[in-house]
Amino acid sequence: MTGIRFLVLGSAAGGGLPQWNCNCSNCSAARRPSSGLRPQTQSSLAVSVDGQNWAIFNASPDIRQQIQQTPQLHPRELRDSPIKSVVITNGDVDHIGGLLTIRESQRFDLFTTSAIETVLVQNPVFRVLNPLFVSRKVIRINDAFSPLDGLEARIFAVPGKVALYMEEGEPELGVEGEQTVGIEFAIRDKRAYYIPGCATLPMWLAERVRGADLVFFDGTMFTDDEMIRVGAGTKTALRMGHMPISGEGGSLEALAALEISQLVYVHINNTNPIWRRGPERRLVEAAGFLVGRDGMEIILD
Ligand code: MLT
Ligand code: MN
Ligand code: ZN
């Protein structure tokens, strides 16, 4: 097999759809099979170059269910996993919680920045990942690394903030460092990106993704004040470290100008109206963009 496969394991942001304690119109619809809105799990992407071995980008708290609903990730021997590596893009619970699930003495490589490695070291519960089996590999911003044989990737800093539970007072927003990173994949003449959290799209980042073959991008909220409007919270998207899709300074307008062949919104919050048919989703689709969903597969060859 040639090419590179991207499989959306989880398209929803932290909390998932429905979120356990939310009864907003989307969450309530997702609990009713007749609504047509299927439940969606938390943020994760699987990537393979041979269809046999997989790298997982972000270990969602839903990883057990994601593996269960993805036959490609089932064990093929008594004790086995096609998951050869896990790469973490930030330290939020939706991206590291699943590490506690995949702890059963199974070999894999765990790639993180040193800032995220520090978070894991400071939380002793992650010692359940036995170092005899899990090799932790600290990767530096912009260094190439190989999460799978035949797959070259690179991490780069994107504007973000520290993980929610690391906040002390008002966090610095839009920091470009090791807390929040994007992933660049290069295979022959193709370029793809995975950027599930991003606070702004500065010129350098726009230029980096310009002309890409595929971009998975932060689609957390449609409008900056969505949580407030829905009555589900008090924080804006920007305060949470996520640029909204719509409006001035939104990702839709900025990304639409960049000649990206395929753009998929992922890490979509349960309050986001793009989950359902309506003017907001139509706007996204009119730009030629896709709304991610669990099980969506895109192959670049
Ligand atoms: C986020 O992306 O903003 C976080 O996942 C929030 C959280 O951890 O609940
Ligand atoms: Mn998140
Ligand atoms: Zn909800």
Side-chain angles (χ1 to χ4, degrees):
M1 193 182 304
T2 57
I4 173 166
R5 296 174 167 248
F6 297 87
L7 181 53
V8 176
L9 296 182
S11 58
L17 175 73
Q19 177 173 308
W20 75 282
N21 64 342
C22 188
N23 204 20
C24 73
S25 58
N26 285 338
C27 287
S28 135
R31 291 191 184 95
R32 276 183 283 113
S34 61
S35 72
L37 182 58
R38 304 266 319 267
Q40 303 290 316
T41 63
Q42 297 170 81
S43 184
S44 179
L45 180 74
V47 178
S48 179
V49 284
D50 61 5
Q52 303 292 318
N53 299 292
W54 293 82
I56 303 287
F57 291 80
N58 289 322
S60 140
D62 298 323
I63 194 165
R64 180 177 177 280
Q65 178 188 341
Q66 291 167 342
I67 292 169
Q68 173 60 18
Q69 63 200 24
T70 310
Q72 299 93 309
L73 301 181
H74 292 177
R76 295 153 299 193
E77 291 167 29
L78 179 59
R79 286 291 165 94
D80 168 66
S81 173
I83 298 172
K84 301 302 173 203
S85 62
V86 177
V87 184
I88 305 291
T89 67
N90 82 343
D92 271 318
V93 172
D94 54 346
H95 288 165
I96 63 170
L99 291 173
L100 301 178
T101 298
I102 51 174
R103 67 186 177 280
E104 317 284 0
S105 300
Q106 181 63 44
R107 273 183 207 289
F108 65 89
D109 290 333
L110 174 57
F111 292 94
T112 66
T113 63
S114 71
I116 298 173
E117 165 67 3
T118 301
V119 170
L120 299 180
V121 168
Q122 285 172 348
N123 288 274
V125 68
F126 290 104
R127 287 187 205 149
V128 296
L129 295 175
N130 184 342
L132 288 176
F133 297 94
V134 178
S135 328
R136 295 205 189 174
K137 300 191 187 278
V138 171
I139 33 177
R140 286 190 313 198
I141 300 286
N142 288 323
D143 279 359
F145 68 104
S146 200
L148 292 172
D149 286 346
L151 177 64
E152 183 171 302
R154 216 174 272 277
I155 56 167
F156 54 97
V158 300
K161 64 164 185 66
V162 292
L164 180 57
Y165 57 87
M166 299 286 284
E167 288 184 10
E168 287 173 355
E170 279 304 304
E172 199 182 340
L173 302 173
V175 181
E176 289 173 21
E178 291 196 336
Q179 302 291 344
T180 309
V181 299
I183 314 280
E184 179 175 75
F185 302 94
I187 183 158
R188 294 188 298 276
D189 58 337
K190 304 283 188 201
R191 249 181 332 124
Y193 295 87
Y194 175 54
I195 308 172
C198 188
T200 58
L201 197 70
M203 189 79 87
W204 70 262
L205 180 52
E207 289 313 315
R208 185 157 193 161
V209 300
R210 181 185 290 281
D213 297 282
L214 174 61
V215 178
F216 293 93
F217 197 81
D218 182 346
T220 309
M221 307 234 179
F222 189 75
T223 41
D224 190 38
D225 62 353
E226 182 174 302
M227 297 275 283
I228 300 162
R229 272 203 229 185
V230 169
T234 54
K235 284 186 195 160
T236 61
L238 291 170
R239 170 61 184 78
M240 293 173 72
H242 300 288
M243 64 192 296
I245 292 175
S246 67
E248 212 174 306
S251 62
L252 187 75
E253 195 179 278
L255 293 166
L258 299 178
E259 292 142 5
I260 294 164
S261 305
Q262 292 188 85
L263 187 301
V264 184
Y265 277 122
V266 291
H267 192 278
I268 304 165
N269 197 54
N270 55 75
T271 50
N272 193 322
I274 67 170
W275 284 124
R276 302 162 87 178
R277 271 192 272 282
E280 296 87 358
R281 188 175 176 119
R282 276 200 296 280
L283 209 65
V284 167
E285 288 171 347
F289 294 176
L290 298 169
V291 175
R293 60 180 161 68
D294 293 12
M296 175 187 267
E297 186 168 38
I298 294 181
I299 302 174
L300 287 185
D301 48 17

